[in-house]
Amino acid sequence: MGLGVSIFILVVVHNAAFFLSLLSLSALVTAFLLWNSLNSTKNRALLRYLHSFPDSDLRLARDGQLVKLTGVVLCGSVSLESSYEKASRCIYTSTVLYEYRELGLMPIDANRTGFHWRLAYTERFSTDFYLTDTKSGMRALVKAGPDCKVIPLIVESRLVNTTQKCSTLSTHLRKWLRDRNLSAGAHLLRLEEGYVKEGSYLSVIGMLQRSNDTVTIVQPRELISTGCLWKKLLLPIDIDGLILGTPERLAQ
């Protein structure tokens, strides 16, 4: 579109310098938008915002304040189990399945990344849990159950990556696929799973609620904006939900 407008102006105005300037500006704007689109898929703006958010002191934090806590996770009355690895005593689990799709006459290459892999299935679950804050030593109840919007920044590990030489899938994988009404035939697929087990370190950003001696972290009532990150040429994004992330992930 920018090129078309530039050519139109060149024809009408007959000014080559103006045409080149407008063409360069269009290229810069396009590159800027593509850069932000690429980074949004990797949550880079969100990760940098969270990394810069200081840990709060529960002893001084006020009711209704947005806080960030980092500490050890303890399961509440309900714990989760990851669907593929069957990891128990979890407070968050996610399993993602990608299928490889050939584009036109392009030969299949399972080592390629990006546009050739299509998201075929995903499941993510979280539950209420306790977190012992390392800064204050206090324990807080984190409301991350079904009624809460959760924004997870949890790394998912690749567990299955089939190849063209794979003529049949494992029994466990076939059962997992059939239980979810997915194709269990031999094809190129990639399965990744992530979870947070009891005893893990976790960072949480949410709104503080105090009631007598009970400290609870809940989903913020309003959207949170990351603001513009000009040094990284990143536009602001809005955050709607309770944020969970491992300290190592937030530091990236």
Side-chain angles (χ1 to χ4, degrees), residues 91-106:
I91 59 95
Y92 169 83
T93 65
S94 67
T95 308
V96 185
L97 179 71
Y98 298 93
E99 291 181 342
Y100 190 89
R101 290 299 178 92
E102 185 179 3
L103 298 180
L105 300 177
M106 186 176 295

Side-chain angles (χ1 to χ4, degrees), residues 78-127:
V78 177
S79 62
L80 304 174
E81 181 181 71
S82 64
S83 68
Y84 191 80
E85 275 196 307
K86 301 300 181 183
S88 60
R89 302 292 293 173
C90 299
I91 59 95
Y92 169 83
T93 65
S94 67
T95 308
V96 185
L97 179 71
Y98 298 93
E99 291 181 342
Y100 190 89
R101 290 299 178 92
E102 185 179 3
L103 298 180
L105 300 177
M106 186 176 295
I108 293 178
D109 181 2
N111 293 322
R112 291 177 180 267
T113 58
F115 300 108
H116 303 292
W117 288 100
R118 180 184 69 88
L119 179 63
Y121 176 81
T122 181
E123 60 181 44
R124 290 186 171 93
F125 302 102
S126 60
T127 186

